[in-house]
Amino acid sequence: MHRIVYAFVLLLVLCLLFVSDTTAFQILPCRSPSKQTNLPSDLTIHNLSSSAADTDDDSVSNSLRQSSVKRGEASTITSKVESDSDKSSFSTTTTNRNEKVDFDRVLQTRRTVNNFEPTLPDDIEDILKTAIKSAIYAPNHRRTEPWKFHLLGPQTIQQVCELNAKIVSEKKGEKAGQRKLERWLQMPGWIVVTCKTDHGEKDAELMDVASSLSREDYAACCCAVQNLCLSFHNAGLGTKWGTGAVNFNSDFHEILGMEDGEYCVGTIWFGTPTNIPDAPLKKKSVESVIIQHD
């Protein structure tokens, strides 16, 4: 009987020791709640500070790298860049292979739109700011940032339209000028993109010289116009980039109050398109414009 009791007590002690060891094993590897790493696969993280990164280990970075991005969406991490002279924020959008197709679709479906709804959307101010912000991220080799964006109000639009009608009338007659006036007054949104050079008169005349700053500045402004139009398109608006004779008329420059060394790159009409034109037939295929070198 004593042996049976002794064996039972010994078995009970061994069981208690086993449970205690197992509990300790389960607790030790657990992370504190503040360092939770089960991140949602489509999480958007904003302002990830360096202090947070310093207090955690690589598992957070690994979770971010391994998190899957939903088809047609982007996982965005917004960072802050600060310097003594400037403080600005920018967002870097990481995309997978499928999303690159969506981005290319934005590029390839942009069209020159000729007809617009008479009124602009209610959120046009936000759309404008986003579009111009995208425009100024255009390539700019020597960082001269030569672009200016003139947003035209009703009074200025009227003056520009009347000036253009006058130019057309002098060349094609009064009726043609009147038709042009009525047509232009239907355009709901106007931006005039200009290039402002500060390189002196000598360099300003060197547009035919490939290495001149003036030529590079003009190219940068053209890239900015493309970014502007693509941003509008992405927001559901259409654009038309015009470079008619009125853009280079001295009276036009006076109406806009353009400075010395500032010239027009083009007038951009924008608004909600009444219809989307078909893609123009390309004269050259992708293969025909690729020149492969060894």
Side-chain angles (χ1 to χ4, degrees):
M1 183 66 179
H2 291 288
R3 292 180 178 178
I4 294 174
V5 172
Y6 178 77
F8 177 80
V9 171
L10 181 61
L11 180 62
L12 181 61
V13 171
L14 290 174
C15 288
L16 290 173
L17 288 174
F18 176 79
V19 170
S20 176
D21 290 343
T22 304
T23 304
F25 175 79
Q26 290 175 339
I27 292 175
L28 287 176
C30 287
R31 302 174 59 85
S32 64
S34 62
K35 297 180 181 180
Q36 192 88 9
T37 59
N38 293 328
L39 304 176
S41 62
D42 59 345
L43 180 66
T44 298
I45 300 178
H46 298 277
N47 302 329
L48 183 64
S49 64
S50 58
S51 59
D54 293 338
T55 57
D56 210 344
D57 61 17
D58 292 337
S59 60
V60 172
S61 298
N62 291 336
S63 296
L64 287 174
R65 285 194 294 269
Q66 294 171 2
S67 63
S68 62
V69 181
K70 288 183 177 179
R71 187 183 299 265
E73 296 180 0
S75 177
T76 304
I77 300 174
T78 301
S79 307
K80 290 201 174 204
V81 178
E82 295 186 358
S83 64
D84 293 335
S85 60
D86 177 53
K87 293 183 179 181
S88 61
S89 63
F90 68 94
S91 63
T92 302
T93 303
T94 59
T95 58
N96 60 18
R97 187 180 298 272
N98 291 330
E99 290 171 319
K100 290 180 181 178
V101 174
D102 291 338
F103 179 70
D104 286 338
R105 186 171 182 274
V106 172
L107 299 178
Q108 295 169 14
T109 56
R110 185 209 61 80
R111 300 286 181 268
T112 295
V113 175
N114 291 294
N115 298 297
F116 304 89
E117 298 290 345
T119 58
L120 295 170
D122 293 336
D123 58 344
I124 189 59
E125 289 187 10
D126 292 335
I127 294 174
L128 274 170
K129 289 179 181 178
T130 299
I132 292 176
K133 183 176 181 179
S134 295
I136 65 176
Y137 273 85
N140 182 208
H141 180 201
R142 304 195 193 181
R143 299 183 181 178
T144 53
E145 299 183 11
W147 37 65
K148 289 181 178 292
F149 304 87
H150 297 257
L151 305 180
L152 307 193
Q155 183 177 346
T156 306
I157 292 173
Q158 183 72 35
Q159 290 179 289
V160 171
C161 290
E162 290 176 354
L163 173 62
N164 182 67
K166 178 183 176 182
I167 294 173
V168 172
S169 295
E170 292 174 352
K171 185 176 182 179
K172 299 182 178 180
E174 295 260 345
K175 290 184 178 180
Q178 184 61 33
R179 286 195 299 269
K180 190 66 72 172
L181 176 61
E182 294 173 358
R183 161 73 177 157
W184 279 38
L185 286 173
Q186 295 175 0
M187 301 299 109
W190 293 62
I191 295 179
V192 176
V193 182
T194 62
C195 181
K196 176 69 168 64
T197 59
D198 294 310
H199 319 312
E201 293 183 1
K202 182 177 181 180
D203 187 69
E205 297 173 356
L206 297 179
M207 288 292 289
D208 292 336
V209 178
S211 60
S212 69
L213 275 174
S214 293
R215 186 167 177 175
E216 287 195 0
D217 282 350
Y218 177 71
C221 286
C222 289
C223 291
V225 170
Q226 171 74 342
N227 282 9
L228 183 80
C229 293
L230 287 171
S231 182
F232 275 129
H233 173 52
N234 191 49
L237 301 185
T239 56
K240 180 172 183 176
W241 179 3
T243 55
V246 68
N247 290 275
F248 312 106
N249 187 282
S250 59
D251 291 337
F252 177 81
H253 299 169
E254 185 176 344
I255 291 172
L256 268 62
M258 292 168 58
E259 303 174 359
D260 292 340
E262 183 180 4
Y263 62 90
C264 185
V265 177
T267 296
I268 313 300
W269 291 335
F270 62 90
T272 303
T274 56
N275 65 294
I276 306 297
D278 294 331
L281 181 63
K282 295 298 179 183
K283 299 178 181 178
K284 299 179 180 179
S285 66
V286 173
E287 291 75 17
S288 68
V289 298
I290 296 175
I291 302 174
Q292 184 69 48
H293 297 269
D294 294 332

